[in-house]
Amino acid sequence: MDLPETFAQSFEPGLLAEIEAKAVNLSVKEGDTVLDIGQTIRVVPLLVSGTLKISRLDDTGKELLLYYVNANESCAMTFTCCMQQYPSEIKATAETDAEYIAVPISLMDQWISKYPTWKSFVMRTIRNRFNELLKAIDQLAFQKLDERLARYLKEKSKATGSALINLSHEEIAAEMASSREVISRLLKKLENDKKLLLYRHQLKIIGDL
């Protein structure tokens, strides 16, 4: 098993040996559901490559983006759910083709007690995601929708590593808990301001948002 350099340098030799012996490499294709709401969490993912989108669904099925998990990271929500043996409260979808190391959740408590670097990794992941969620709440409470849209597009571009975003206006609206008409109007304004180009089910960022 080839661990990313970040993990290899961060974890002590004993932990690396256990990951090698007890975890497995898995891969998913863009659009695959890695974990669904209500599903029993059996593994903790350590992302090797690609991006996972973490979101929540309301009672009507409308999806709200929470954050992205990128290479060398893990999902804080899987930590918090599996440590208390709760079903998943989030949906994880492959934003791009991705590879990850699947760590059985039965090892979580053991490793937290046994390996200081694992405990630090878990706590740092939870803290970073908590800070991201606070920013998201601030956006909902204090930022105008056009500012939220600009931030969303920048985060999406950063997550995929591309200025070309393969989403329709309706899909963007769904992720932002808005309406297609409002999002279309704001995207058209950004195009008129020469900050992006609009295509069918695509857009390309060409200026500073």
Side-chain angles (χ1 to χ4, degrees):
M1 179 183 298
D2 293 326
L3 279 171
E5 187 174 346
T6 300
F7 292 139
Q9 291 180 348
S10 299
F11 297 151
E12 56 260 81
L15 176 55
L16 293 174
E18 286 209 52
I19 293 175
E20 180 76 27
K22 300 176 180 178
V24 295
N25 282 106
L26 296 176
S27 62
V28 289
K29 296 294 185 182
E30 179 181 344
D32 286 352
T33 298
V34 180
L35 182 67
D36 215 341
I37 293 175
Q39 186 176 337
T40 300
I41 298 174
R42 303 189 186 281
V43 299
V44 171
L46 303 180
L47 208 61
V48 175
S49 64
T51 301
L52 302 182
K53 179 179 70 176
I54 309 301
S55 57
R56 288 273 293 165
L57 300 179
D58 67 13
D59 293 338
T60 66
K62 184 177 291 186
E63 189 172 340
L64 178 63
L65 173 68
L66 296 180
Y67 56 83
Y68 294 104
V69 179
N70 299 306
N72 303 316
E73 298 177 346
S74 189
C75 177
M77 295 298 289
T78 58
F79 288 152
T80 56
C81 288
C82 76
M83 284 191 290
Q84 296 189 340
Q85 300 183 344
Y86 290 150
S88 174
E89 296 178 349
I90 54 91
K91 181 178 181 180
T93 308
E95 183 76 5
T96 65
D97 292 352
E99 295 182 1
Y100 63 94
I101 298 167
V103 177
I105 65 166
S106 58
L107 299 172
M108 282 288 295
D109 287 342
Q110 298 176 34
W111 286 3
I112 285 176
S113 301
K114 190 174 180 181
Y115 298 113
T117 58
W118 179 255
K119 181 178 180 180
S120 295
F121 173 71
V122 170
M123 299 309 296
R124 183 170 62 252
T125 298
I126 292 173
R127 183 182 67 247
N128 289 343
R129 295 309 178 196
F130 180 73
N131 288 337
E132 287 186 22
L133 292 177
L134 287 180
K135 290 179 182 177
I137 292 171
D138 285 345
Q139 288 177 47
L140 289 171
F142 305 119
Q143 283 191 331
K144 297 178 181 178
L145 185 58
D146 57 348
E147 295 172 335
R148 286 177 52 212
L149 176 61
R151 181 181 174 84
Y152 166 85
L153 295 175
K154 287 188 286 188
E155 289 294 322
K156 178 74 73 172
S157 177
K158 179 181 176 182
T160 60
S162 173
L164 188 65
I165 297 174
N166 295 303
L167 289 174
S168 68
H169 296 189
E170 187 170 355
E171 289 170 323
I172 294 172
E175 289 199 356
M176 295 191 64
S178 183
S179 69
R180 182 190 59 78
E181 293 78 9
V182 171
I183 293 300
S184 293
R185 185 172 69 249
L186 293 176
L187 289 173
K188 188 63 181 178
K189 183 178 185 303
L190 288 172
E191 184 178 47
N192 291 338
D193 292 341
K194 302 190 183 305
K195 295 190 175 181
L196 53 80
L197 295 174
L198 297 178
Y199 307 105
R200 181 174 176 80
H201 301 309
Q202 284 184 327
L203 62 88
K204 184 176 183 180
I205 297 173
I206 58 173
D208 186 22
L209 293 174

